[in-house]
Amino acid sequence: MGTALTLTAIQAATTEAHRAFQGVTDGQNADYIPVLAKVDPSRFGIVVMLADGKAAEAGDTRSLFAIESISKVFTLARALDTVGADGVRQKIGDNPTGESFSSVHALVVHGGKPLNPFVNAGAIATVSLLAADSAAHRWEQILGTQRAFAGRDLEVMDEVYRSESATNQHNRALAWLLDSAHTLYSDPTEATDVYTRQCSVGITTWDLAVMGATLAAGGINPVTRQRAIRAEHVPRILAEMTMSGLYDNTGTWQYEVGLPGKSGVGGGILAVVPGRLAIATFSPPLDRFGNSVRGQLASRQLSAVLGLNLFAT
Ligand code: GLN
């Protein structure tokens, strides 16, 4: 689908989206993880990267922020390569919950099955599915997968990890609820800690675009030319992003943007046009669902101006 886009047209649209929404001050930084409340809310970056690695950018695209829930995409990638699509669907699920990302209610009403890998319970269960003989081994696989997608040696932001570890009682409770329902596959404390670490990894908007371009390119990182995930799993990841990537606001996102997407409470959003490109945005203030306000506005405008909506005929 779609006509070929020139990099010049993409750069013009990227610059314009940044200009148009730079002044928006709606939304608030996440504050249930104290360190995230301290990030400068005026930071705003956009990168649009083609599947061959050519890119356009505007604003603050090179400073680090916490990957948070966008990390769930890459742990899912690793789990698909480990236990296969049927294993993930049977043990985690592949449907939206219709509830907030940390809902206990959603877990309880479904007998402890998290329903999808992008709510916190499902993401912790996905961590537990990896084949590992120690916490270090589990962590190596997750960080290794994030690095393969980004094409560089990403690291944990220690201050984020400390802040999140000190305040993640709710996630620990979710892990124990999973465990009690026999839907967790490793030690609950270990799974929650590794999950907290994976959310604390620092990325730039540029890194996020490379990670998305790797998905757009069928699993081959356009920078390193290395395969990060088996090609057959890419459509499954994009399907999950399409259904649940922006939590209980995913329907609105699809209505307005029409692309697989994934947000994080650090302020990042990734959108992917399969076979073509990725849009990465970063702006910390969030709406009540936990999705970046300016990121959604910029993604919507770029999708419209560049004709990227997958549901358009
Ligand atoms: N680490 C965050 C949490 O577990 C991630 C949530 C998010 O980005 N939506 O609550």
Side-chain angles (χ1 to χ4, degrees), residues 93-138:
D94 54 9
N95 278 304
T97 65
E99 298 204 35
S100 76
F101 63 77
S102 57
S103 175
V104 171
H105 179 249
L107 194 57
V108 171
V109 295
H110 297 106
K113 188 167 177 181
L115 294 200
N116 78 69
F118 294 159
V119 291
N120 286 7
I124 295 167
T126 307
V127 167
S128 80
L129 268 184
L130 303 183
D133 49 26
S134 66
H137 186 208
R138 197 174 300 283

Side-chain angles (χ1 to χ4, degrees), residues 7-304:
L7 200 56
T8 312
I10 295 173
Q11 181 62 63
T14 303
T15 304
E16 174 51 23
H18 189 270
R19 190 205 58 76
F21 303 117
Q22 195 169 17
V24 172
T25 53
D26 298 341
Q28 291 207 312
N29 286 30
D31 58 5
Y32 74 102
I33 300 168
V35 75
L36 298 182
K38 295 194 297 185
V39 180
D40 177 0
S42 71
R43 286 168 63 188
F44 182 29
I46 307 174
V47 178
V48 179
M49 186 174 287
L50 297 166
D52 65 5
K54 294 193 192 75
E57 60 184 308
D60 181 356
T61 61
R62 307 292 170 141
S63 57
L64 288 173
F65 61 93
I67 188 170
E68 296 299 341
S69 273
I70 307 170
S71 66
K72 296 167 180 171
V73 170
F74 308 102
T75 304
L76 171 62
R78 186 69 191 205
L80 285 165
D81 272 357
T82 306
V83 300
D86 289 345
V88 169
R89 292 173 86 185
Q90 189 206 331
K91 294 200 155 67
I92 311 287
D94 54 9
N95 278 304
T97 65
E99 298 204 35
S100 76
F101 63 77
S102 57
S103 175
V104 171
H105 179 249
L107 194 57
V108 171
V109 295
H110 297 106
K113 188 167 177 181
L115 294 200
N116 78 69
F118 294 159
V119 291
N120 286 7
I124 295 167
T126 307
V127 167
S128 80
L129 268 184
L130 303 183
D133 49 26
S134 66
H137 186 208
R138 197 174 300 283
W139 170 238
E140 259 165 42
Q141 296 177 54
I142 289 174
L143 183 61
T145 304
Q146 290 189 14
R147 288 175 168 177
F149 273 92
R152 75 175 188 91
D153 284 349
L154 304 176
E155 300 284 358
V156 165
M157 296 172 85
D158 287 327
E159 202 193 349
V160 174
Y161 172 66
R162 280 198 302 275
S163 180
E164 200 155 337
S165 293
T167 54
N168 68 351
Q169 290 82 356
H170 190 94
N171 286 335
R172 283 184 253 162
L174 288 172
W176 283 103
L177 279 174
L178 289 162
D179 193 49
S180 74
H182 309 292
T183 47
L184 196 73
Y185 308 98
S186 70
D187 175 74
T189 302
E190 179 191 311
T192 313
D193 182 58
V194 172
Y195 165 77
T196 304
R197 246 173 237 279
Q198 82 171 34
C199 291
S200 308
V201 167
I203 56 168
T204 66
T205 316
W206 183 271
D207 292 327
L208 186 57
V210 177
M211 295 168 108
T214 302
L215 287 169
I220 298 189
N221 183 311
V223 176
T224 63
R225 312 264 165 213
Q226 304 286 310
R227 179 165 285 289
I229 180 180
R230 294 224 296 275
E232 72 202 72
H233 294 319
V234 172
R236 294 165 178 150
I237 294 170
L238 297 178
E240 281 307 318
M241 291 170 68
T242 303
M243 288 183 291
S244 310
L246 281 87
Y247 310 113
D248 38 337
N249 203 40
T250 307
T252 303
W253 163 270
Q254 293 308 351
Y255 206 103
E256 294 178 341
V257 182
L259 294 174
K262 186 74 204 81
S263 62
V265 294
I269 302 183
L270 175 62
V272 177
V273 186
R276 298 182 76 192
L277 59 82
I279 303 170
T281 58
F282 165 57
S283 164
L286 311 177
D287 66 12
R288 68 189 170 88
F289 301 100
N291 300 317
S292 167
V293 172
R294 287 190 294 193
Q296 291 175 91
L297 291 169
S299 303
R300 182 171 73 186
Q301 177 157 315
L302 285 165
S303 176

